[in-house]
Amino acid sequence: MFDWFADPQAWIALATLTALEIVLGIDNVIFISILSGRLPPEQQGKARRVGLLAAMVMRIALLFSLSLIMQLEGGLFTVLGEEISGRDLILIAGGLFLLAKSTLEIHHRIEEAGEPQATASKAVTFGAVVAQVMVLDLVFSIDSVITAVGMVEHLSVMVIAVLISVLVMVIFVDGIAAFVDRHPTFKVLALSFLVLIGVALLGEGLGLHIPKGYVYFAMAFSTGVEVVNLKIRSARAVKA
């Protein structure tokens, strides 16, 4: 199982896959941070860690079900000349879920801005947060696992990459959550990213292949603009 230790190519694959898992996991971290923010303060940290651990368990379980994952690539039926597979159905359902949830969260943010006392009355339960995180992670895990299978031959390399990436996210999730909470405009921006990702997932499931580079560029550009705005607001606050 670990006969790849002496293979330099396997170590390169491990490093590459770990970095990829961290990048793909950023969406989850943002989503977990936003959802956990609706819980009482004493439950937020626990919800973030339980959500990430659930994500780790789900991805490892999927890795040990490689034959099932690969079967999802096969076509189930055809709609308007486009073959729909099990993977496509999961991506479509996940995209719709992400669009609906992100839109509702943006709506809640707008309501909370107008009614400061609304937050407590609309708080969600701990179980609901974890359940929503697990549903979303199932969607992200499918693509992540398929990518891992295509990149690496050894199952143990894939599992180690997942473990390392989740450890990194656990270390940084509280800092990301605190930053998002301190800057409401970043929270709205993050929710907008999730809307964008939802559209991309929906399009992917329907056979419309949107290059991920375009999505990442749009997200990076928007983040850069918001960072500039944040610095401008900070400079004005200091002068005031």
Side-chain angles (χ1 to χ4, degrees):
M1 186 176 182
F2 295 98
D3 54 348
W4 52 268
F5 267 80
D7 184 3
Q9 293 297 324
W11 285 97
I12 294 173
L14 174 61
T16 303
L17 185 57
T18 301
L20 182 62
E21 287 288 335
I22 293 172
V23 171
L24 293 175
I26 290 174
D27 304 322
N28 265 353
V29 172
I30 293 174
F31 191 75
I32 291 171
S33 299
I34 292 172
L35 282 182
S36 64
R38 297 178 60 77
L39 288 170
E42 63 274 11
Q43 293 184 354
Q44 292 179 10
K46 182 180 178 182
R48 289 192 284 268
R49 282 161 179 76
V50 170
L52 286 171
L53 289 175
M56 179 187 71
V57 171
M58 190 171 295
R59 292 193 182 195
I60 292 176
L62 288 173
L63 285 172
F64 279 96
S65 307
L66 294 182
S67 58
L68 175 63
I69 297 300
M70 298 315 292
Q71 287 175 16
L72 291 175
E73 293 284 271
L76 298 177
F77 54 88
T78 302
V79 177
L80 299 177
E82 185 68 35
E83 198 173 61
I84 303 297
S85 66
R87 171 180 175 273
D88 293 332
L89 288 177
I90 292 175
L91 292 176
I92 291 170
L96 291 173
F97 170 76
L98 197 54
L99 283 172
K101 187 61 187 175
S102 302
T103 302
L104 286 174
E105 287 294 326
I106 291 174
H107 177 68
H108 286 319
R109 292 299 303 168
I110 294 173
E111 284 192 336
E112 289 169 7
E115 301 176 34
Q117 301 303 318
T119 306
S121 63
K122 296 182 180 179
V124 296
T125 64
F126 182 88
V129 169
V130 174
Q132 291 177 64
V133 169
M134 291 184 71
V135 169
L136 184 64
D137 190 70
L138 175 62
V139 179
F140 287 134
S141 294
I142 294 297
D143 259 5
S144 174
V145 169
I146 290 174
T147 300
V149 172
M151 287 180 58
V152 183
E153 297 179 3
H154 306 282
L155 178 62
S156 55
V157 172
M158 302 179 203
V159 173
I160 292 172
V162 170
L163 291 173
I164 294 174
S165 64
V166 171
L167 176 62
V168 171
M169 287 187 280
V170 166
I171 293 172
F172 289 102
V173 66
D174 285 342
I176 293 174
F179 179 82
V180 170
D181 281 338
R182 286 198 308 270
H183 303 94
T185 54
F186 262 96
K187 183 174 287 189
V188 175
L189 181 64
L191 287 169
S192 300
F193 289 165
L194 294 178
V195 171
L196 178 62
I197 294 168
V199 172
L201 288 174
L202 188 60
E204 185 76 18
L206 294 173
L208 177 61
H209 302 293
I210 303 173
K212 287 184 172 60
Y214 292 169
V215 176
Y216 292 145
F217 174 79
M219 293 170 66
F221 181 80
S222 301
T223 301
V225 171
E226 184 56 31
V227 168
V228 172
N229 285 331
L230 180 61
K231 289 185 177 297
I232 291 173
R233 288 194 297 268
S234 300
R236 286 177 178 173
V238 170
K239 290 181 180 178

